[in-house]
Structure formats: structure tokens, C-alpha cells
Amino acid sequence: NINGFDSLVTVPSLLAYANSPNLNTGLLSYYHVDPVRPEQVKTIEAGYRATFFDRLFLDAVYYVSFYKDFIGYKIGADLTFDPVFTNRLTNAQFYRVSANATDMVTTEGCSVGLNYFIGKFFALSGNYSYNRLDLRGSTDSLIPAFNTPLNKFNVGFSGRDIDAALFKGKVRLRNTGFSVNYKWIQGFRYEGSPQFSGDVPGYDLFDAQVSYKVPAIKSTFKLGATNLFDKKAFQVYGGPRVGRLAYFSVLVALTK
């Protein structure tokens, strides 16, 4: 939208015209879209980071952003009518037009991360984030396409460079590591193109990985999977459902 659009017709008024008994063109609602301008944003952010008991690490942040000329999009149709039967539609070209908001748009959010170290080798971690787009009181018909869940969190447990005797010395672990992580994402409204706008349901995933280091050959072997239990979910409306991804890697340290 570099040059702007003139005389686009709103989709609801086009449907009203099409469903009217005599194809009443008086029901059509026209609008103009100015050339798109770069959006501007001012953000206030506050954070806090601390360590408690030499084991618990906290990292928290809150932000609020104020957008001028926030960029979203509008959907409209460019119509062509028969020159003789002037109420008879001969062609309709639909557009998804980038456009600027006419009033102030704000976003706000926060995130909190925690890491708790258990003994020498293990750690429990978690994080939570909240992100919200505020359009309260706005009269603009702009579709914002924020496409971000309101709430999501992760909880994980991991071990690194483990060298320990387990089960009363019956099992000895050396140079091993692992991580397991649970993710939860709240459902949200996804606004893409006109054909691909809809609700993305909430979903959760479980990831896991094990690793083994061989100091003699300076190598580390890793085996893992994202979405271990193959719970298929889509993250983009209209996109494919994503399942499990398994991987195996070998990392070799090269020295002179």
C-alpha cells in the first residue's frame, strides 16, 4: 500500500448488496485507505533480577508500549459494474490492504523466569509470559493481526555433567545429561489473510533429551525429541498440524 486505495467496498456491505432483491447499490459502503506510514512505538520497561539462597534465580520484566500509526490491515473489494445495467456487478477484486490505525494502540506484557539448582548437577526451571493487545475504546475497523497467545508457560527439569551414584550405589552415571520440558500455550485468534483467519486452539507439548559425553574422543552424543508424545497441533490457522521431531547429534571438539 504505497500509493493508497480509493473507493474500496466493505465486505459486509457487498454481501448485503448481493442478497438484496434488486441488487441495491445503495447498500454498498465505500472507503479510502491512505498510503501506509511507518509505525512508531514508545516503550516503558521495568525489570528485576535477583538470587535467593544461592540456589534460586529470578528474572522478571514488565513492559507497556504505545503505538502511533500501528500497522494492521483492512479487507475491501474493488468493484466493476455493467455500463448499461448499472446495478449489475461484473467483477470484484479483493484486497488485503496494509493500513495505519487512526488512534493509539497499546500492548502490555510481562515475563517471569525461575531457575532452582538442586545439588551439583540438577536444575528445575520455569517461565511464564503474558502479552496483551489493547484496542478498548477504538472505533477503527483495523484488523491488528497480533497473533500472540495471552498466556503461556514452560516447566523443565534438567541434569548436566552428571557424575553420581544412584539407587544406593547400584547405578553409576558419568558424563551424562538430560532435560525434560513441558510447554503450554493458550488458544488465541490468528488473523492472517482473509482465507486464513480463525482460532488456534490451546495446546501443550513435551520435549525430552539425553546426552553422553566421551572425554577420550572429545565428543558429545545427544538424542532427543520435541513434542515427544506426538500431540499434533497447529500454531498458524490454515497451516499443517505439527507432530513429533526426533533428532540425534554428535558434537566433536576440534583442537590443535
Side-chain angles (χ1 to χ4, degrees):
N1 184 20
I2 297 176
N3 301 315
F5 285 79
D6 192 19
S7 299
L8 290 179
V9 174
T10 65
V11 174
S13 71
L14 179 58
L15 293 174
Y17 154 82
N19 292 322
S20 62
N22 299 313
L23 297 178
N24 183 5
T25 57
L27 297 174
L28 296 174
S29 177
Y30 292 84
Y31 68 96
H32 172 76
V33 182
D34 293 327
V36 71
R37 302 178 300 276
E39 65 183 16
Q40 303 175 46
V41 61
K42 295 180 180 179
T43 300
I44 300 172
E45 183 176 327
Y48 179 74
R49 182 176 295 170
T51 303
F52 303 95
F53 317 113
D54 293 329
R55 289 183 178 273
L56 178 63
F57 295 86
L58 167 68
D59 193 351
V61 64
Y62 169 81
Y63 75 90
V64 57
S65 298
F66 305 90
Y67 285 86
K68 178 182 178 182
D69 294 329
F70 180 87
I71 295 177
Y73 68 89
K74 295 184 177 182
I75 300 173
D78 183 18
L79 306 183
T80 304
F81 290 91
D82 190 291
V84 178
F85 303 97
T86 55
N87 66 335
R88 180 180 169 186
L89 182 64
T90 58
N91 186 63
Q93 176 65 56
F94 289 87
Y95 293 97
R96 176 182 183 267
V97 180
S98 296
N100 298 101
T102 57
D103 46 19
M104 181 70 70
V105 174
T106 63
T107 61
E108 68 171 346
C110 67
S111 64
V112 179
L114 292 169
N115 288 275
Y116 182 73
F117 291 88
I118 305 170
K120 186 178 179 181
F121 309 110
F122 305 103
L124 182 66
S125 61
N127 63 70
Y128 163 79
S129 68
Y130 168 86
N131 295 279
R132 184 173 71 94
L133 175 72
D134 187 5
L135 292 174
R136 290 177 297 178
S138 176
T139 59
D140 201 320
S141 60
L142 193 77
I143 301 174
F146 190 54
N147 297 346
T148 302
L150 185 66
N151 297 284
K152 61 180 180 179
F153 70 83
N154 294 266
V155 178
F157 182 61
S158 62
R160 182 178 178 183
D161 297 329
I162 300 173
D163 187 355
L166 304 178
F167 304 108
K168 298 181 179 181
K170 295 180 180 180
V171 178
R172 183 76 182 186
L173 297 178
R174 294 181 184 272
N175 303 318
T176 57
F178 71 91
S179 67
V180 291
N181 190 68
Y182 174 78
K183 305 176 184 179
W184 178 84
I185 296 90
Q186 185 178 8
F188 61 96
R189 180 72 175 177
Y190 184 89
E191 296 166 323
S193 65
Q195 298 89 348
F196 299 107
S197 291
D199 294 324
V200 174
Y203 58 95
D204 57 354
L205 304 172
F206 186 84
D207 304 335
Q209 174 187 284
V210 292
S211 64
Y212 182 68
K213 184 182 294 185
V214 184
I217 58 175
K218 299 179 180 179
S219 300
T220 301
F221 299 84
K222 292 183 180 180
L223 175 65
T226 60
N227 192 8
L228 180 64
F229 300 117
D230 200 28
K231 298 180 66 175
K232 293 181 172 59
F234 58 89
Q235 303 174 15
V236 176
Y237 187 80
R241 294 182 182 271
V242 181
R244 177 173 50 236
L245 172 64
Y247 58 88
F248 176 73
S249 69
V250 180
L251 176 65
V252 180
L254 300 178
T255 58
K256 294 182 179 179

